[in-house]
């Protein structure tokens, strides 16, 4: 499920700076969201930023599960230089699903091929500072960064 | 995971404690509409104090539930939205939560009773004054 997400592990920097959750069920979605929030709080993000990140993680993980049948979500610290302070947190959602035929349409508020509100991707874009979407018939990768 | 439904006269109180899976949500909605119909509830308060992430999925579950209850003719108020949840919801998209909201359960009950009284519903059979 997750790696290196426990404070009880040896406190090397890397040990606490990345979490990865395999998304195969609804409880994994909740776990991914919670772990992303805890990581954000550990990295010193404000509480409201941590909630933004948790919600964005939940949206991305949910999409991976419902539209691609599973995948993974990773959250990791971003540094401006490997040894320097944390300046951001990156969410990366990856799957080997069918891909998104029309990405621009998928980013439109209210557009959903399922029974959703269609607010997921547009919401992530607004909640986070940077957003990129790569998709092809064999899978989708969404990357979103929040700067501290 | 079954959500308890509490009854106070003709008002029902539910508190969503954790993120619901699709199945939990359907169970919850059918339990609730059944109870609303059974007691001809006049109002329902949905408390979400315990939720710290309301994503678009949970927003849809809450909205759908509120709409179902309204279709049956009862009033709905959502209460207990955490400040950070509110901030996030607004950032995500205005109007994501479509129902009326109150600060806490007490306020939600006052709001419901006020509305029930206003619409002149004489079916209210509480012993306390409305
Ligand atoms: N990982 C993915 N793989 C394939 N298709 C996707 C993926 N993520 C999103 N999509 C497509 O993009 C559309 C828009 O996604 P978005 O998250 O905005 O809305 P939704 O998931 O349908 O509803 P909501 O998130 O509001 O519950 C989806 O309906 C789906 O067709
Ligand atoms: Mg979605």
């Amino acid at each position: 499920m997750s790696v290196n997400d426990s404070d009880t592990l040896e406190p090397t920097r890397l040990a606490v700076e990345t979490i990865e959750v395999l998304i195969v069920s609804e409880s994994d979605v909740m776990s991914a969201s919670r772990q992303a929030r805890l990581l954000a709080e550990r990295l010193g993000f404000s509480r409201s930023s941590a909630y933004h990140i948790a919600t964005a993680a939940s949206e991305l993980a949910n999409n991976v599960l419902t539209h691609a049948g599973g995948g993974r979500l990773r959250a990791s610290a971003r540094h401006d230089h490997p040894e320097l302070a944390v300046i951001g947190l990156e969410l990366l959602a990856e799957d080997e699903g069918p891909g998104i035929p029309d990405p621009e349409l998928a980013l439109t508020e209210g557009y959903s091929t399922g029974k959703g509100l269609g607010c997921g991707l547009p919401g992530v874009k607004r909640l986070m500072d940077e957003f990129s979407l790569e998709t092809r018939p064999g899978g989708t990768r969404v990357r979103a960064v929040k700067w501290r | 995971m079954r959500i308890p439904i509490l009854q106070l006269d003709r008002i029902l109180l539910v508190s969503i404690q954790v993120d619901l899976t699709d199945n939990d949500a359907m169970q919850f909605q059918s339990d609730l509409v059944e109870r609303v119909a059974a007691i001809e509830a006049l109002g329902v308060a949905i408390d979400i104090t315990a939720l710290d992430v309301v994503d678009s999925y949970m927003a849809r579950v809450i909205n759908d539930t509120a709409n179902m209850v309204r279709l049956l003719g009862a009033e709905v108020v959502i209460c207990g939205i955490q400040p950070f949840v509110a901030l996030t919801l607004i950032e995500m998209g205005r109007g994501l939560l479509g129902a009326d909201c109150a600060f806490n359960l007490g306020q939600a009950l006052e709001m419901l009773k006020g509305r029930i009284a206003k619409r002149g519903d004489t079916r209210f059979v509480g012993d306390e004054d409305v």
Side-chain angles (χ1 to χ4, degrees), chain B residues 72-84:
Chain B
L72 292 173
E75 303 282 341
V76 192
V77 172
I78 294 167
C79 62
I81 298 182
Q82 296 295 308
F84 291 107

Side-chain angles (χ1 to χ4, degrees), chain B residues 99-112:
Chain B
D100 292 306
C101 300
F103 198 55
N104 54 34
L105 200 51
Q107 222 179 65
L109 283 176
E110 287 313 306
M111 235 163 119
L112 284 173

Side-chain angles (χ1 to χ4, degrees), chain A residues 26 30 33 37 47-48 51-52 54-55 58-59 62 115-117 119-120 123 126-127, chain B residues 19-23 52-57 59-60 63 84 87-88 91-93 96:
Chain A
E26 288 167 323
M30 299 170 200
S33 166
R37 173 166 62 83
R47 263 192 99 192
S48 71
Y51 279 83
H52 281 29
T55 308
S58 182
E59 295 296 349
N62 229 325
K115 52 185 175 139
L117 293 174
C119 297
R126 278 196 294 265
L127 290 171
Chain B
D19 269 9
L20 303 175
T21 63
D22 248 337
N23 279 334
D52 49 30
V53 171
V54 177
D55 58 5
S56 64
Y57 166 75
R60 177 169 63 83
N63 286 341
F84 291 107
L87 274 177
T88 308
E91 188 76 25
M92 261 196 60
L96 215 52

Side-chain angles (χ1 to χ4, degrees), chain B residues 11-126:
Chain B
I11 291 179
L12 296 176
L13 313 174
V14 287
S15 180
I16 302 178
Q17 300 286 337
V18 289
D19 269 9
L20 303 175
T21 63
D22 248 337
N23 279 334
D24 293 340
M26 269 157 61
Q27 181 73 59
F28 164 58
Q29 288 166 342
S30 70
D31 286 353
L32 185 61
V33 291
E34 227 167 78
R35 278 296 286 286
V36 168
I39 68 155
E40 293 183 19
L42 301 176
V44 175
I46 302 175
D47 173 67
I48 59 168
T49 311
L51 290 185
D52 49 30
V53 171
V54 177
D55 58 5
S56 64
Y57 166 75
M58 278 308 290
R60 177 169 63 83
V61 169
I62 295 166
N63 286 341
D64 285 355
T65 309
N67 286 334
M68 287 175 194
V69 170
R70 273 198 213 100
L71 275 176
L72 292 173
E75 303 282 341
V76 192
V77 172
I78 294 167
C79 62
I81 298 182
Q82 296 295 308
F84 291 107
V85 170
L87 274 177
T88 308
L89 275 174
I90 292 297
E91 188 76 25
M92 261 196 60
R94 257 156 241 276
L96 215 52
L97 268 194
D100 292 306
C101 300
F103 198 55
N104 54 34
L105 200 51
Q107 222 179 65
L109 283 176
E110 287 313 306
M111 235 163 119
L112 284 173
K113 287 180 178 179
R115 284 215 218 135
I116 291 163
K118 201 157 145 199
R119 75 181 197 191
D121 214 314
T122 51
R123 291 180 299 163
F124 194 78
V125 288

Side-chain angles (χ1 to χ4, degrees), chain A residues 44-86:
Chain A
F45 278 84
S46 70
R47 263 192 99 192
S48 71
S49 291
Y51 279 83
H52 281 29
I53 289 166
T55 308
S58 182
E59 295 296 349
L60 294 178
N62 229 325
N63 281 353
V64 161
L65 182 68
T66 53
H67 305 301
R72 65 201 150 274
L73 183 105
R74 190 185 321 145
S76 49
R78 287 278 296 264
H79 305 263
D80 49 0
H81 190 274
E83 290 308 311
L84 294 179
V86 173

